[in-house]
């Protein structure tokens, strides 16, 4: 160690009075106990009590004689539970958490300062030789995952990402090799000193050569060299054979298409909207095929962007990558961010959705819709229903005008204007909606673009307009048609069919509604009318019509 035991004992004597009283065994753990460290390294004391208590996990921080001292406490029961959990998964190392492995390693390699008998009793629960095997297998498992992922990214044309993962795989492979030789400290920051102590210059120089990237190799050669070096270090299961990789379905991922827009729901909560080319690539995937074959099919649908798009699907956790005979590929970087699918910032496209589906930023977009799936589907269905009500009100208005029913016409005009506004709110993702009388006052919530701001004054006038003659009816009808056109264009509903004009337009309305009813029903979203559930059972057809 870089510090003497006398110095550590003195430091401990000055620290313990600041700690809750107890009959503690004390060890020094961490980088200094391992023989690493420097003048800026923490002094890490672990206090072990012979008790059944739940002692806090978070360390306490003290400053003693110019040194930063961290004090952690664990009861004998807690330590025993740690080692028991490690024993339970030592043959399934992929299930061992980094935190658990790190806690056990630090304790097993600690330097005893007080209560040597209890420290020996604790360490005897998991001999260091046994721990070496677990640590080596854990790092080897991580290396396999990283290197397989690197192989996949190389196949998909993501060369820089492939090289980065290959470099990570080499670090993990070297850590596995070092662990076999007793160098089990987890943090890679001391890897250079671990390799120096291992006294194998050939391994050390080869590692630094691949890590530095100063050899002038292209991505394919560099990934291949990393795979070969890992095999030399004893990491099995990573031959350079991308055909052993396959793209598979990921549980909890659902796809649906509304008109031309492909939507994918992840975990029943996150909605991703695909641009035109991204949607074609997604639809082209035949799950279970070897990755190179899947890529060939995707390129036929999406051209040169197919590889990057497929890589994005993997990052977002919309599909999963598997290795033949080796399960799911789940790369992770120990001591870094927790593993898991990428979640990008929510899309800023406005309005959020239209009758054609969610708004997207471009043809290659895989945009996260800034609404949970249930609210998104409910808003989209309400957008369809609001426009159906607009069509019904327009029909009522025309019929009332023909019969000189001015009060009926007036109510129909108000209803059409309010329903059009409801559709606009839906397009911006507002769900549930404000009450109809409050819609105009709540328009500022939508932050409408400057060219659509006249919607407010027009709406305010139309929902209060009076009709008492043929002349006023004609004027209001023209104003209403203009208003509906402006609102529908702003809401992406300009292609809504004239639902009640003919059998064809009614059929088109039902088909449009079916796209959204089935997904709303899937997420148990509120439906505007219970009858619309029948659209799911009838696949968008009229429920009573003979086949």
């Amino acid at each position: 160690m870089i510090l003497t035991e006398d110095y550590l004992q003195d430091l401990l004597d000055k620290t313990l009075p600041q700690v809750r009283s107890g009959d503690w065994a004390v060890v020094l753990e961490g980088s200094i106990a391992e023989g690493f460290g420097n003048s800026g390294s923490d002094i890490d004391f672990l206090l072990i009590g012979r008790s059944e208590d739940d002692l806090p996990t978070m360390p306490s921080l003290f400053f003693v004689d110019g040194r930063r001292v961290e004090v952690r406490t664990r009861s004998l029961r807690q330590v025993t539970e740690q080692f028991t959990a490690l024993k339970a998964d030592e043959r399934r190392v992929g299930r061992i958490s980094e935190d658990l492995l790190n806690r056990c390693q630090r304790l097993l390699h600690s330097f005893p300062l007080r209560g040597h008998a209890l420290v020996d009793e604790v360490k005897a629960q998991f001999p260091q030789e046994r721990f070496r095997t677990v640590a080596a297998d854990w790092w080897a498992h991580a290396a396999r995952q990283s290197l397989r992922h690197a192989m996949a990214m190389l196949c998909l044309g993501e060369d820089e990402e492939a090289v980065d993962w290959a470099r990570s795989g080499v670090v993990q492979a070297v850590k596995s090799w070092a662990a076999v030789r007793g160098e089990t400290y987890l943090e890679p920051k001391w890897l250079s000193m671990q390799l120096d102590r291992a006294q194998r210059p050939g391994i050390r120089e080869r590692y630094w050569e691949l890590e530095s990237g100063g050899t002038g190799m292209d991505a394919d050669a560099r990934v291949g060299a990393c795979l070969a070096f890992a095999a030399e270090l004893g990491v099995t299961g990573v031959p350079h054979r991308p055909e052993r990789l396959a793209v598979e379905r990921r549980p909890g991922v659902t796809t649906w298409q509304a008109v031309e827009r492909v939507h994918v729901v992840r975990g029943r909560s996150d909605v991703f909207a695909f641009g035109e080319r991204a949607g074609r690539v997604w639809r082209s995937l035949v799950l279970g095929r070897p990755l190179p074959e899947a890529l060939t099919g995707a390129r036929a649908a999406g051209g040169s962007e197919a590889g990057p798009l497929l890589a994005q699907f993997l990052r977002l956790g919309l599909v999963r990558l598997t290795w033949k005979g080796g399960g799911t590929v789940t790369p992770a970087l120990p001591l870094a961010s927790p593993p898991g699918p990428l979640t990008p910032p929510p899309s800023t496209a406005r309005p959020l959705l239209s009758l054609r589906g969610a708004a997207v930023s471009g043809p290659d977009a895989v945009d996260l819709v800034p609404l949970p799936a249930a609210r998104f589907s409910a808003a989209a269905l309400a957008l369809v229903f609001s426009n159906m009500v607009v069509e019904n009100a327009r029909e009522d208005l025309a019929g009332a005008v023909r019969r000189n029913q001015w009060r009926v016409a007036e109510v129909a005009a108000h209803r059409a204007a309010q329903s059009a506004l409801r559709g606009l709110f839906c397009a911006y993702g507002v769900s549930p909606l404000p009450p109809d009388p409050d819609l105009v006052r709540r328009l500022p919530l939508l932050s409408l673009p400057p060219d659509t701001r006249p919607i407010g004054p027009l709406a305010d006038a139309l929902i209060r307009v009076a009709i008492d003659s043929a002349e006023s009816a004609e004027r209001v009808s023209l104003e209403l048609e203009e208003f509906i056109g402006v609102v529908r264009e702003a809401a992406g509903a300009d292609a809504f069919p004239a639902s009640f004009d003919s059998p064809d337009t009614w059929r088109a309305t039902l088909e449009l509604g079916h796209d959204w009813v089935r997904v709303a029903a899937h997420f148990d979203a509120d439906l505007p009318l219970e009858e619309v559930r029948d659209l799911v059972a009838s696949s968008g057809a009229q429920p009573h019509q003979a086949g």
Side-chain angles (χ1 to χ4, degrees):
M1 292 188 300
I2 62 172
L3 300 175
T4 66
E5 182 175 353
D6 287 345
Y7 176 81
L8 292 168
Q9 292 286 3
D10 180 63
L11 207 60
L12 181 60
D13 287 338
K14 295 173 179 176
T15 302
L16 285 179
Q18 303 179 63
V19 180
R20 57 187 283 187
S21 61
D23 185 14
W24 303 110
V26 184
V27 298
L28 173 75
E29 59 177 16
S31 59
I32 293 179
E34 297 278 350
F36 309 131
N38 51 50
S39 60
S41 297
D42 293 343
I43 307 296
D44 297 313
F45 290 137
L46 175 66
L47 281 54
I48 306 171
R50 191 181 289 277
S51 70
E52 297 294 314
D53 297 338
D54 273 327
L55 299 179
T57 300
M58 188 180 79
S60 295
L61 187 64
F62 304 98
F63 293 87
V64 183
D65 286 354
R67 299 297 299 241
R68 189 170 62 246
V69 178
E70 287 193 9
V71 174
R72 290 174 173 83
T73 56
R74 306 297 277 171
S75 67
L76 177 60
R77 178 186 59 77
Q78 286 174 308
V79 170
T80 300
E81 286 177 352
Q82 286 177 189
F83 287 125
T84 300
L86 188 63
K87 291 172 185 175
D89 286 328
E90 65 179 305
R91 297 190 183 280
R92 296 171 294 181
V93 291
R95 298 175 57 173
I96 297 174
S97 74
E98 174 190 327
D99 181 66
L100 174 64
L101 194 71
N102 191 43
R103 288 179 186 280
C104 293
Q105 194 280 333
R106 289 168 65 91
L107 177 52
L108 290 174
H109 275 234
S110 63
F111 183 82
L113 294 170
R114 307 275 172 92
H116 290 62
L118 179 54
V119 173
D120 290 342
E121 179 184 337
V122 164
K123 290 188 177 185
Q125 295 188 49
F126 209 104
Q128 286 195 25
E129 294 75 12
R130 184 176 175 183
F131 185 84
R132 291 179 183 182
T133 300
V134 174
D137 290 349
W138 188 83
W139 280 112
H141 174 79
R144 285 187 200 96
Q145 301 299 305
S146 294
L147 292 168
R148 289 169 181 174
H149 189 72
M151 211 182 306
M153 292 299 104
L154 187 67
C155 180
L156 297 175
E158 300 290 88
D159 289 0
E160 291 185 7
E161 187 171 348
V163 168
D164 285 343
W165 279 107
R167 290 173 60 200
S168 297
V170 164
V171 171
Q172 294 157 352
V174 171
K175 291 289 285 184
S176 176
W177 176 86
V180 172
R181 289 151 182 81
E183 295 289 350
T184 57
Y185 191 68
L186 256 66
E187 287 195 29
K189 67 181 179 180
W190 303 111
L191 181 55
S192 60
M193 296 183 69
Q194 290 179 308
L195 290 176
D196 289 343
R197 292 200 306 204
Q199 297 183 345
R200 289 286 297 273
I203 297 295
R204 181 186 59 203
E205 299 307 322
R206 181 68 174 138
Y207 164 70
W208 286 118
E209 179 186 0
L210 288 173
E211 171 62 22
S212 66
T215 58
M217 293 184 288
D218 62 15
D220 187 70
R222 193 163 177 197
V223 171
C226 290
L227 291 167
F229 184 46
E232 292 175 25
L233 295 174
V235 177
T236 60
V238 282
H240 200 169
R241 294 179 58 190
E243 67 273 11
R244 295 191 65 173
L245 292 159
V247 177
E248 303 277 2
R249 179 183 179 276
R250 182 176 284 276
V253 173
T254 306
T255 303
W256 93 89
Q257 187 160 338
V259 194
E260 72 268 19
R261 179 79 68 237
V262 172
H263 304 83
V264 176
V265 182
R266 185 182 70 183
R268 292 183 63 87
S269 60
D270 297 326
V271 179
F272 292 89
F274 285 28
E276 181 183 356
R277 180 159 44 204
R280 289 201 307 269
V281 170
W282 179 262
R283 286 299 192 188
S284 76
L285 292 179
V286 180
L287 300 180
R289 279 186 178 177
L291 182 61
E293 290 184 25
L295 180 59
T296 299
R299 281 178 176 155
S304 61
E305 296 301 317
L309 282 169
L310 186 48
Q312 183 71 339
F313 300 160
L314 288 166
R315 294 184 200 107
L316 295 172
L318 306 181
V319 289
R320 64 190 179 106
L321 193 66
T322 61
W323 179 267
K324 187 176 181 180
T328 301
V329 177
T330 53
L333 297 177
L335 308 166
S337 57
L342 170 70
T343 298
S347 170
T348 58
R350 294 293 186 276
L352 298 176
L353 56 96
S354 71
L355 296 176
R356 294 176 291 276
V360 294
S361 56
D364 297 327
V366 184
D367 289 342
L368 176 63
V369 178
L371 285 174
R375 188 180 300 171
F376 171 75
S377 57
L381 181 58
L383 173 61
V384 175
F385 184 73
S386 296
N387 279 280
M388 287 178 64
V389 175
V390 170
E391 292 303 310
N392 181 253
R394 290 169 77 181
E395 184 186 46
D396 288 345
L397 173 60
V401 169
R402 285 194 295 270
R403 299 294 300 271
N404 297 331
Q405 297 170 334
W406 310 127
R407 293 297 187 188
V408 175
E410 189 176 293
V411 171
H414 297 170
R415 182 168 174 246
Q418 287 178 321
S419 296
L421 275 186
R422 289 170 68 87
L424 182 62
F425 274 83
C426 294
Y428 277 78
V430 178
S431 176
L433 290 163
D436 282 356
D438 207 27
L439 289 169
V440 174
R441 287 190 294 273
R442 298 294 158 249
L443 276 170
L445 289 173
L446 307 186
S447 299
L448 294 171
D451 58 341
T452 58
R453 285 178 186 163
I455 285 175
L458 290 171
D460 194 45
L462 282 169
I463 62 175
R464 304 174 192 279
V465 74
I467 298 177
D468 55 11
S469 66
E471 291 76 14
S472 60
E474 182 179 3
R475 175 180 52 80
V476 170
S477 295
L478 291 173
E479 291 174 355
L480 183 63
E481 289 304 309
E482 181 182 0
F483 174 74
I484 291 171
V486 171
V487 172
R488 281 184 166 174
E489 184 176 0
D494 46 302
F496 196 85
S499 305
F500 306 102
D501 278 7
S502 69
D504 289 340
T505 57
W506 178 239
R507 186 181 307 111
T509 302
L510 292 178
E511 290 172 355
L512 181 62
H514 174 255
D515 283 343
W516 293 110
V517 169
R518 63 189 180 90
V519 70
H522 178 73
F523 290 109
D524 296 322
D526 292 334
L527 302 179
L529 290 174
E530 188 61 28
E531 288 92 329
V532 299
R533 289 189 185 274
D534 293 335
L535 278 177
V536 178
S538 65
S539 298
Q542 297 192 100
H544 305 108
Q545 187 169 346

